[in-house]
């Protein structure tokens, strides 16, 4: 009697009232041939392989009419072994019927064949078919007396009573094997093949239902804890029923591999979920870093929500049935994220995208807080690293390559901006009383941003990034210095602002990153000195003619120093907008220049003073020395060591007691160790003391200069240079003094 047909779920295939898939004429002919075959065969003959192939083909086509295209192929895999067995049975004759059906285990009939087939085909044969199909293939209407009294296997599967369905299948499997052992199928081995194939199709239905439950677990409809428990119980029951492949290779007793199928389904589910993040995104443009960041943020949120859902709902449902699932889901999502991450890495086209990828892998996905508070009932193992060490090293190398090009380009843009500002004659901004240019802020911001981003990824990458920035800045400084000095449009405020920029870089970068930027001390100092020199040269060109009228007879009766000092005071106002250390350094250099040039005019006078003129000149020199000292003191110069040079020369020139001249020379030598013999000759030439006295004073001063030089060593001047830079030509007075 046929099995009573029950109402199936939405997935129940080919109910009688539903229209049947249209057939081609060839298929109709084959069906007619199949129906007429029992009458056409001689009595007592066995059905041929063609008949069985057509019957199985019809079942497979009917199952594939609702299942995906790939499932039909899996149904064919489930019967592949059976066809091999039947082929061997036909070749060997009746004697081989019994062994031909069971001698080859065949992975298609066991693990492999039951991995993806849908339950529709098996359910169709178990729930009853139309009279035409039942007549054509009576063996596909497989049932047992107990099964006829209850619910069919297909209905149990559709209601997701998986354990009950498996128990009935196991009962059928046991009965089928018992009949085989009693040689029931010796006369008709194809009957065993048809019934065994029906059992395999039902196993395939169970397998597919397990996959469907796993796919729906993380969907929007919530978690069906009862269905998950059924999956856990049926997997454990199947492993207990089929612990290992049978020794005789019987395919019915071959383990179905449902645990592996469940794990594969979990991996596919995780892959599908991960693919949903950023669907439609197409990163790859140079400015697509925000898109990559947005995609990773979406991916991280999705993975976090899914794994938290697994922790709170999925894992407890499985664990209640003795089937832990957390580690499997964790590994599945980790693998899916890793594959998606590799795709994004291959599509990266800029250092920004690589920074975003490395930062997300290290600080977001790799963070201990990525999954939030951990459930104490779930194993609290941290996520494994997203990138293997060699892959991470390659990614960092790619990032460094992009970074070198990007930083060099940034410095080129900074230089171009400065040149455009000079050409436009834009005055530098005044911030906190100092001239400012965007140079230092741009460079400091560039270094700080890259160092922060790299440091968040790894200490090694941060050190490498700082080294790249330091080398790029070292190449930039000479170019910037040359461009500024050769630019005819750069003004004194521009020079002052550039000096401040160099000082900012020296104080900020060198103080914050001494190991990486320590070697930039010399280039920065060289650039600063060059700008200071350029700044002073502008003033020197203005005041140099004013020095030439000093120490002349006209100078004795006129105040020729005042115009010179007025220019000095006007120039000093520029220094008020310079960084204090460099402003003081520049002011002292200006102070030294004024004293040096004054002495140069006094030691190589255009006109000689005698008698009262010499005394008047000495007095005027002392007064002007005091005026110079007072002016620079008011301006803030701390170069007090320059205050004795002019007065000493004035004292020697106006000294009335010749024996005291030696004392003044000693003071001059001890105060200024850089003084040389030709300077002594020029000073003595101002007095014309006579040959003997001049020779005595020269011998005395030379011995004293040797003692001072010996006592001071190579640093005798102590960094104070004054007379050394005064160039003197040999004059007649000096020749007379030597003679």
């Amino acid at each position: 009697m046929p099995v009573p047909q029950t109402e199936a779920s939405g997935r129940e295939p080919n109910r009688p009232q539903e229209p049947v898939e249209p057939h081609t004429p060839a298929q109709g002919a084959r069906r007619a041939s199949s129906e007429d075959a029992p009458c056409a065969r001689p009595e007592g003959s066995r059905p041929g392989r063609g008949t069985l192939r057509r019957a199985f083909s019809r079942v497979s086509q009917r199952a594939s009419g609702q299942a995906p295209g790939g499932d039909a192929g899996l149904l064919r895999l489930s019967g592949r072994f059976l066809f091999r067995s039947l082929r061997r049975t036909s070749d060997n004759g009746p004697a081989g019927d019994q062994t031909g059906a069971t001698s080859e285990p065949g992975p298609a009939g066991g693990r492999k064949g039951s991995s993806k087939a849908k339950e529709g085909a098996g359910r169709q044969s178990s729930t009853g078919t139309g009279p035409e199909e039942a007549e054509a293939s009576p063996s596909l209407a497989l049932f047992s007396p107990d099964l006829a009294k209850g619910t069919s296997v297909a209905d149990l599967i559709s209601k997701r009573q998986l354990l009950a369905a498996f128990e009935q299948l196991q009962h059928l499997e046991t009965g089928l094997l018992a009949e085989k052992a009693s040689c029931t199928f010796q006369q008709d081995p194809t009957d065993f093949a048809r019934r065994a194939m029906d059992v395999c199709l039902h196993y395939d239905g169970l397998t597919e239902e397990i996959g469907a439950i796993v796919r729906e677990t993380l969907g929007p409809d919530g978690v069906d804890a009862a269905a998950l428990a059924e999956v856990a119980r049926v997997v454990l029951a199947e492993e207990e029923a089929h612990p290992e492949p049978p020794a005789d290779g019987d395919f019915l007793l071959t383990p179905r591999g449902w645990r592996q199928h469940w794990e594969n389904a979990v991996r596919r589910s995780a892959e599908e979920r991960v693919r949903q993040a950023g669907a439609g995104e197409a990163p790859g443009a140079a400015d697509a870093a925000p898109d990559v960041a947005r995609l990773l943020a979406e991916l991280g949120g999705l993975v976090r929500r899914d794994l938290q859902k697994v922790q709170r709902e999925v894992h407890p449902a499985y664990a209640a049935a003795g089937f832990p699932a957390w580690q499997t889901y964790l590994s599945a999502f980790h693998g899916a994220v890793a594959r998606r991450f590799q795709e994004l890495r291959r599509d990266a086209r800029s250092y920004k995208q690589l920074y975003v990828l490395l930062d997300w892998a290290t600080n977001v996905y790799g963070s201990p807080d990525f999954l939030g508070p951990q459930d104490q009932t779930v194993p609290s193992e941290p996520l494994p690293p997203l990138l293997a060490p060699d892959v991470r090293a390659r990614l960092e190398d790619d990032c460094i390559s992009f970074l070198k090009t990007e930083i060099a380009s940034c410095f080129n843009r900074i230089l171009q901006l400065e040149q455009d500002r000079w050409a436009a004659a834009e005055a530098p901004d005044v911030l906190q009383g100092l001239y400012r240019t965007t140079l230092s802020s741009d460079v400091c911001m560039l270094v700080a941003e890259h160092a922060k981003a790299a440091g968040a990824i790894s200490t090694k990458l941060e050190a490498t990034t700082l080294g790249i920035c330091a080398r790029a800045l070292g190449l930039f400084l000479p170019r910037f210095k040359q461009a500024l000095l050769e630019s005819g449009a750069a003004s004194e405020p521009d020079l002052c602002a550039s000096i401040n920029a160099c000082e900012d870089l020296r104080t900020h970068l060198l103080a914050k990153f001494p190991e990486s930027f320590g070697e930039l001390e010399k280039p920065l100092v060289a650039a600063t000195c060059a700008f200071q020199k350029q700044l002073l040269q502008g003033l020197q060109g203005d005041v140099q003619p004013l020095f030439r009228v000093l120490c002349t007879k006209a100078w004795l009766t006129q105040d020729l120093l005042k115009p010179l000092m007025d220019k000095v005071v006007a120039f000093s106002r520029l220094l008020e907008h310079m960084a204090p250390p460099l402003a003081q350094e520049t002011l002292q250099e200006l102070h030294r220049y004024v004293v040096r040039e004054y002495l140069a005019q006094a030691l190589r006078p255009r006109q000689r003073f005698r008698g009262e003129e010499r005394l008047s000149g000495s007095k005027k020199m002392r007064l002007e020395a005091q005026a110079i000292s007072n002016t620079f003191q008011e301006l803030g110069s701390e170069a007090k060591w320059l205050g004795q040079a002019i007065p000493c020369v004035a004292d020697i020139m106006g000294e009335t007691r010749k024996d005291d001249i030696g004392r003044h020379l000693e003071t001059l030598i001890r105060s200024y160790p850089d003084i040389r013999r030709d300077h002594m000759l020029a000073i003595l030439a101002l007095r014309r003391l006579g040959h003997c006295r001049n020779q005595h004073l020269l011998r005395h001063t030379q011995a004293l200069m040797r003692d001072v030089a010996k006592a001071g060593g190579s640093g005798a001047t102590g960094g104070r240079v004054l007379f050394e830079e005064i160039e003197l030509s040999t004059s007649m007075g000096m020749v007379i003094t030597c003679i």
Side-chain angles (χ1 to χ4, degrees):
M1 59 179 291
V3 179
Q5 183 171 346
T6 60
E7 286 294 322
S9 65
R11 289 183 298 277
E12 183 70 30
N14 294 339
R15 288 184 292 182
Q17 65 272 20
E18 293 179 351
V20 182
E21 181 181 357
H23 297 280
T24 62
Q27 290 172 333
R30 284 196 299 271
R31 172 174 293 194
S33 175
S34 176
E35 291 173 353
D36 297 336
C39 300
R41 287 196 305 268
E43 187 174 346
S45 65
R46 294 179 302 173
R49 284 183 294 169
T51 302
L52 182 58
R53 284 181 184 273
R54 285 193 295 274
F56 179 66
S57 175
R58 211 165 32 248
V59 175
S60 300
Q61 291 172 0
R62 194 174 300 118
S64 63
Q66 189 167 354
D71 295 338
L74 291 170
L75 291 172
R76 288 192 294 272
L77 287 176
S78 299
R80 187 175 297 164
F81 170 77
L82 297 175
F83 290 134
R84 294 200 195 103
S85 300
L86 293 174
R87 187 179 297 112
R88 190 160 50 205
T89 300
S90 300
D91 295 340
N92 296 341
D97 289 348
Q98 181 67 23
T99 59
T102 61
S103 60
E104 182 178 350
R111 298 179 183 273
K112 186 174 181 180
S114 60
S115 61
K116 293 183 181 178
K118 205 167 182 64
E119 72 273 18
R123 191 179 302 154
Q124 177 184 357
S125 61
S126 207
T127 57
T129 61
E132 182 181 359
E133 288 81 356
E135 183 181 357
S137 183
S139 65
L140 295 179
L142 178 65
F143 62 89
S144 66
D146 294 336
L147 183 60
K149 298 177 183 179
T151 306
S152 67
V153 174
D155 286 339
L156 290 174
I157 294 175
S158 67
K159 294 177 181 179
R160 294 193 168 175
Q161 298 178 13
L162 306 184
L163 185 60
F166 174 73
E167 290 174 349
Q168 289 198 17
L169 280 177
Q170 192 177 9
H171 175 73
L172 295 174
E173 178 184 286
T174 303
L176 188 59
L177 291 174
E179 292 183 51
K180 173 188 172 184
S182 62
C183 301
T184 302
F185 304 106
Q186 187 170 2
Q187 298 300 323
D188 189 7
T190 57
D191 185 30
F192 170 78
R194 284 190 293 270
R195 292 172 63 182
M197 181 176 62
D198 196 63
V199 172
C200 288
L201 292 175
H202 280 83
Y203 272 128
D204 289 346
L206 266 174
T207 302
E208 183 60 26
E209 193 64 31
I210 292 172
I213 292 173
V214 173
R215 283 194 302 273
E216 297 169 5
T217 298
L218 297 178
D221 297 334
V223 176
D224 187 350
L228 299 184
E230 279 290 301
V231 169
R233 286 192 287 267
V234 76
V235 170
L236 294 175
E238 193 278 333
E239 289 179 342
E240 183 178 358
H242 305 137
E244 58 185 13
D248 58 357
D250 196 325
F251 68 95
L252 284 176
L253 296 177
T254 300
R256 303 291 166 176
W258 282 349
R259 182 184 293 269
Q260 183 63 43
H261 173 74
W262 173 80
E263 292 177 356
N264 293 339
V266 169
R267 282 192 287 270
R268 287 193 298 271
S269 174
E271 190 74 30
E272 293 172 0
R273 295 289 296 172
V274 167
R275 290 291 170 184
Q276 293 178 10
E281 293 280 355
D287 57 348
D291 295 335
V292 174
R294 184 167 56 252
L295 188 151
L296 290 174
E298 184 179 348
L299 175 62
L302 185 145
V303 172
R304 185 183 299 107
R305 289 191 299 271
D306 282 355
L307 287 179
Q308 288 175 346
K309 185 177 183 180
V310 171
Q311 282 184 336
R312 293 191 302 265
E313 304 178 50
V314 177
H315 177 76
Y318 280 112
F323 193 79
W326 167 246
Q327 192 60 44
T328 302
Y329 269 96
L330 188 66
S331 300
F333 270 96
H334 178 71
V337 171
R339 286 186 289 274
R340 184 71 176 120
F341 191 85
Q342 290 297 331
E343 294 175 1
L344 295 175
R345 183 184 70 85
R346 289 191 295 269
D347 293 337
R349 294 295 181 269
S350 69
Y351 83 96
K352 292 182 180 179
Q353 293 180 354
L354 294 175
Y355 263 161
V356 169
L357 291 171
L358 282 169
D359 179 70
W360 189 83
T362 304
N363 301 314
V364 178
Y365 188 80
S367 171
D369 301 327
F370 176 69
L371 298 179
Q374 295 290 306
D375 189 347
Q376 298 299 323
T377 62
V378 177
S380 57
E381 297 182 6
L383 289 169
L386 189 60
L387 297 173
D390 57 333
V391 177
R392 184 185 181 91
R394 288 197 302 271
L395 186 56
E396 291 186 358
D397 290 342
D398 294 342
C399 185
I400 290 170
S401 298
F402 279 116
L403 189 60
K404 290 179 180 178
T405 305
E406 176 65 22
I407 290 179
S409 177
C410 287
F411 277 110
N412 289 336
R413 290 195 295 269
I414 291 173
L415 180 58
Q416 186 60 49
L417 288 174
E418 290 296 313
Q419 290 175 328
D420 294 343
R421 189 176 59 80
W422 301 334
E426 296 179 3
D429 297 330
V430 179
L431 299 177
Q432 298 180 346
L434 303 179
Y435 285 126
R436 294 292 184 184
T437 176
T438 58
L439 170 66
S440 59
S441 59
D442 289 344
V443 172
C444 289
M445 186 178 299
L446 175 69
V447 174
E449 287 181 354
H450 285 292
K452 181 180 179 181
I457 296 170
S458 69
T459 305
K460 178 183 177 182
L461 185 59
E462 180 185 15
T464 304
T465 302
L466 288 174
I468 294 172
C469 292
R471 286 190 293 273
L473 181 57
L475 296 174
F476 167 80
L477 287 173
R479 295 172 55 210
F480 174 72
K481 179 180 70 173
Q482 182 179 2
L484 180 58
L485 296 180
E486 294 179 356
S487 173
S491 61
E492 289 182 346
D494 290 328
L495 287 168
C496 200
S498 299
I499 292 172
N500 291 338
C502 290
E503 180 65 13
D504 288 343
L505 293 176
R506 193 180 66 83
T507 55
H508 288 84
L509 292 181
L510 270 66
K512 190 172 183 179
F513 309 108
E515 295 182 359
S516 300
F517 289 87
E519 297 181 357
L520 292 180
E521 176 80 23
K522 292 182 179 179
L524 286 171
V525 171
T528 301
C529 292
F531 298 151
Q532 287 176 317
K533 183 178 179 181
Q534 182 75 5
L535 195 64
L536 289 172
Q537 282 177 351
L539 174 65
Q540 291 169 6
D542 292 339
V543 302
Q544 191 64 35
L546 300 179
F547 280 108
R548 294 172 185 169
V549 299
L550 299 179
C551 300
T552 62
K553 291 184 178 182
W555 163 72
L556 292 174
T557 58
Q558 300 177 28
D559 187 4
L560 300 180
L561 183 65
K562 187 176 185 303
L564 188 151
M565 297 308 296
D566 289 343
K567 288 184 176 293
V568 169
V569 173
F571 178 82
S572 66
R573 297 192 184 98
L574 182 67
L575 303 182
E576 295 175 0
H577 302 292
M578 189 182 293
L582 295 175
Q584 178 61 224
E585 184 179 318
T586 306
L587 183 61
Q588 291 185 26
E589 183 64 23
L590 178 59
H591 190 178
R592 191 174 70 89
Y593 167 75
V594 171
V595 173
R596 185 185 71 221
E597 289 302 312
Y598 193 100
L599 287 173
Q601 295 300 320
L603 295 183
R604 51 174 184 255
R606 297 187 179 186
Q607 297 173 342
R608 292 287 175 178
F609 298 142
R610 297 183 181 182
E612 292 298 327
E613 290 179 348
R614 180 168 52 79
L615 295 177
S616 298
S618 174
K619 182 179 180 180
K620 190 174 183 64
M621 285 178 64
R622 281 194 291 268
L623 292 175
E624 290 185 342
Q626 187 63 41
I628 293 173
S629 180
N630 291 340
T631 300
F632 277 102
Q633 188 174 358
E634 291 174 1
L635 295 177
S637 175
E638 298 176 358
K640 297 180 180 180
W641 61 279
L642 294 169
Q644 292 182 343
I646 299 175
C648 281
V649 174
D651 289 342
I652 292 172
M653 189 171 68
E655 182 61 57
T656 57
R657 296 182 61 181
K658 296 182 179 181
D659 293 338
D660 292 339
I661 292 177
R663 179 170 53 84
H664 296 309
L665 290 174
E666 290 181 6
T667 302
L668 195 61
I669 292 171
R670 295 186 186 280
S671 300
Y672 305 96
D674 63 322
I675 196 169
R676 300 191 304 269
R677 183 174 181 273
D678 54 348
H679 298 124
M680 291 288 103
L681 290 174
I683 293 172
L684 292 176
L686 298 176
R687 288 301 306 267
R688 294 185 179 180
L689 298 175
H691 173 70
C692 293
R693 190 175 293 275
N694 283 337
Q695 293 300 319
H696 172 72
L697 291 174
L698 283 174
R699 286 193 296 269
H700 177 68
T701 55
Q702 286 180 350
L704 185 59
M705 285 189 289
R706 285 194 297 268
D707 293 341
V708 170
K710 187 176 180 180
S714 60
T717 61
R720 298 177 176 182
V721 178
L722 180 62
F723 285 92
E724 184 178 340
E725 296 179 353
I726 300 176
E727 297 294 336
L728 297 175
S729 59
T730 304
S731 64
M732 185 58 66
M734 294 176 63
V735 173
I736 294 174
T737 302
C738 293
I739 295 174

